[in-house]
Each structure stands twice: as structure tokens, then as C-alpha cells.
Amino acid sequence: MGDTLAFLVVDDSESVLHLHVAMLVARGHRCDFALNGCDAILKLSACDYDGVVTDNNMPGISGVDLVRASRGAYKPGELPFFIVTSDPRDAVTDAVSGLPDVEVIAKPIDDAKIARILTVTRAARAARHASA
């Protein structure tokens, strides 16, 4: 299983996207990326990821919409989503209320938030492998 995690990082801002990818890669993890929700859905259907880090405010498909569109393909506990937003956190939290395995993270992402993403993702992967 190894300690390297595989993430899909989604953001319509290339500079923010590359920053989030760089923070995860610097810690030894593998990242794929998408610049919009449509591409993210295609990548989620084609590849296995341990976690998804997504912006919320994107043209077309928001981060919340991405979570909703992807949930049918995964059982609870299989794939954690981290919605990164500069929106009022309560509004986004309310939008994902009742959806399992979703955490809302306020921008900007820092080392403590990356550590939280890694901890939750490792736990989800361990649970997924234990039930396999």
C-alpha cells in the first residue's frame, strides 16, 4: 500500500491549483489535476484516487456539485473530498450537509490544513483496504 497518497486536485485558477499540487507533492504524494468540474468527473471515472481537493467556486460545476455528481460511484468512507473555499464556510457546509466524507476548508491552505487533509485521507484509505 505504501505511504504515498494519490490526489485529484481541482481548481479553475491555475496558480492556486499549482500551489495546492506543490504542497502535496512536496510531502511525497502523487497528484493529478483538473481545471474544471467536468474534467474532474472524467478523471474520477478513469482513475483511482485516495482523496479529492477541490475549489468550490468554478464555472459550470462547483465543488459541491462535483461531490454530488461523484457520490454514486463511491461507498461512504471510500473517497474523502475537501472543498476549499473563500466563501462563508457555513454556507458551503450547509450545502454539503448529509454528504459523507466531505470537509470544508477555508482558503488559504496552510501546513496545518494540508496535515489535516493527509490524516483524513490516510484514515479513509486504511479503512477502504481493511474492508477489501
Side-chain angles (χ1 to χ4, degrees):
M1 174 165 60
D3 195 40
T4 301
L5 298 169
F7 288 94
L8 176 61
V9 181
V10 188
D11 202 304
D12 60 317
S13 167
E14 287 189 50
S15 60
V16 173
L17 176 82
H18 291 297
L19 174 65
H20 294 170
V21 167
M23 292 177 87
L24 291 163
V25 168
R27 288 160 178 81
H29 303 291
R30 185 178 64 78
C31 291
D32 197 359
F33 64 88
L35 289 167
N36 59 64
C38 290
D39 287 346
I41 289 170
L42 292 174
K43 289 186 179 206
L44 282 167
S45 68
C47 300
D48 288 325
Y49 298 103
D50 295 306
V52 178
V53 178
T54 183
D55 184 28
N56 189 47
N57 282 331
M58 298 182 289
I61 297 176
S62 71
V64 172
D65 294 335
L66 174 60
V67 171
R68 288 186 179 132
S70 303
R71 276 302 168 216
Y74 299 94
K75 296 177 192 168
E78 284 188 339
L79 184 66
F81 278 78
F82 304 91
I83 298 177
V84 182
T85 185
S86 56
D87 292 336
R89 193 168 182 268
D90 291 345
V92 180
T93 301
D94 288 347
V96 296
S97 177
L99 295 173
D101 311 312
V102 180
E103 288 202 21
V104 178
I105 298 175
K107 286 182 179 177
I109 287 188
D110 58 21
D111 288 336
K113 292 171 185 173
I114 289 289
R116 173 71 184 160
I117 289 168
L118 295 176
T119 298
V120 170
T121 304
R122 282 187 185 106
R125 184 172 72 175
R128 187 172 61 246
H129 287 279
S131 67

